[in-house]
Amino acid sequence: DIQMTQSPSSLSASVGDRVTMTCRASQNIKDYLNWYQQKPGKAPKLLIFAASDLQGGFPSRFSGSGSGTDFTLTISSLQPEDYATYYCQQSYNVPVTFGPGTKVDIK
Amino acid sequence: QVHLVESGGGVVQPGRSLRLSCTASGFTFSNYGMHWVRQAPGKGLEWVTLISHDGSNTVYAESVRGRFTISRDQNTLFLQMNSLRPEDTALYYCAKDRGISGSYPLGPFNYWGQGTLVTVSS
């Protein structure tokens, strides 16, 4: 199975901050890496797919990069509505696996 | 507008069975693969199983293989859960694949339901 790790597990940031989080796969997954945003009590939402493609409905302050085993999600200027947990997921092979998540909260 | 609505969750004793349903609308259901993903209370996301657009391909996580069965009919996705264990306690989400899920790599999960809670406890 492909193991996914994320760092940090949590971070505190202020509105307007640039926020970066990373995701690492245990083997080469090319660009089959997706990011999901989950707010408390809500279902996850697809945020970024294919490592860098922004899902419709999300603002351009979100961006993704990387390929192979190392990936990054960046929020260029954190907004109040961005406080959430972010999960990476590999869809390269089965079983599909998720990272443990990065929780972004208010500083 | 894509809409996924799960139902069938509840409290069940260990060893018993439960059948979850996910009713889909707003897209051509037979064109897309579907997944079940679960989330234990306060924990992360765990993929459970997938079914291809035509039902010909099903895959299970090791943790549920041999106990859970995914199926689909018309505009509804099902998850038959047998021999339930306390560690199966979770919020169960159905999710739509962006592709057909007939081969790998898979697509991202571009729509999710709101989930149905399964609690396995004596």
Side-chain angles (χ1 to χ4, degrees):
Chain A
D1 298 2
I2 299 173
Q3 309 302 319
M4 306 300 292
T5 57
Q6 290 184 246
S7 62
S9 57
S10 65
L11 65 90
S12 295
S14 301
V15 172
D17 284 353
R18 181 181 181 87
V19 170
T20 299
M21 61 194 77
T22 64
C23 174
R24 177 165 289 176
S26 61
Q27 64 187 73
N28 185 355
I29 58 170
K30 301 185 179 180
D31 65 349
Y32 292 97
L33 189 283
N34 311 302
W35 291 95
Y36 298 85
Q37 178 193 66
Q38 187 178 34
K39 297 182 178 180
K42 300 294 187 182
K45 289 184 177 180
L46 177 63
L47 170 62
I48 298 277
F49 61 95
S52 60
D53 290 342
L54 185 66
Q55 176 72 354
F58 282 96
S60 59
R61 62 179 178 273
F62 290 95
S63 64
S65 64
S67 68
T69 61
D70 293 309
F71 303 87
T72 300
L73 175 67
T74 299
I75 309 172
S76 60
S77 177
L78 193 68
Q79 298 302 303
E81 59 267 31
D82 303 336
Y83 292 97
T85 300
Y86 294 86
Y87 295 95
C88 63
Q89 174 216 39
Q90 66 81 17
S91 56
Y92 182 70
N93 206 348
V94 290
V96 171
T97 45
F98 292 88
T102 292
K103 184 178 181 181
V104 177
D105 60 21
I106 301 171
K107 188 173 185 179
Chain B
Q1 181 181 0
V2 173
H3 210 207
L4 299 170
V5 180
E6 302 93 339
S7 60
V11 180
V12 61
Q13 293 179 326
R16 304 299 290 264
S17 299
L18 210 56
R19 190 193 200 201
L20 306 184
S21 299
C22 169
T23 302
S25 61
F27 65 102
T28 304
F29 186 67
S30 59
N31 285 356
Y32 296 94
M34 296 293 296
H35 304 262
W36 288 98
V37 177
R38 67 185 181 184
Q39 187 169 35
K43 302 297 184 182
L45 301 170
E46 179 189 13
W47 174 81
V48 175
T49 179
L50 73 83
I51 186 167
S52 59
H53 69 112
D54 59 359
S56 64
N57 183 40
T58 59
V59 184
Y60 298 90
E62 187 174 353
S63 58
V64 306
R65 194 174 300 136
R67 300 187 298 121
F68 289 12
T69 302
I70 190 172
S71 62
R72 61 192 299 161
D73 184 42
Q74 302 293 326
N75 283 349
T76 305
L77 178 71
F78 301 101
L79 183 65
Q80 178 66 43
M81 303 187 296
N82 297 333
S83 303
L84 282 161
R85 304 167 178 169
E87 55 264 36
D88 295 319
T89 293
L91 187 61
Y92 283 74
Y93 294 104
C94 66
K96 172 188 169 295
D97 198 294
R98 195 162 173 253
I100 65 172
S101 302
S103 61
Y104 315 117
L106 298 165
F109 302 171
N110 56 355
Y111 292 96
W112 298 61
Q114 286 305 301
T116 187
L117 182 62
V118 173
T119 303
V120 184
S121 173
S122 54

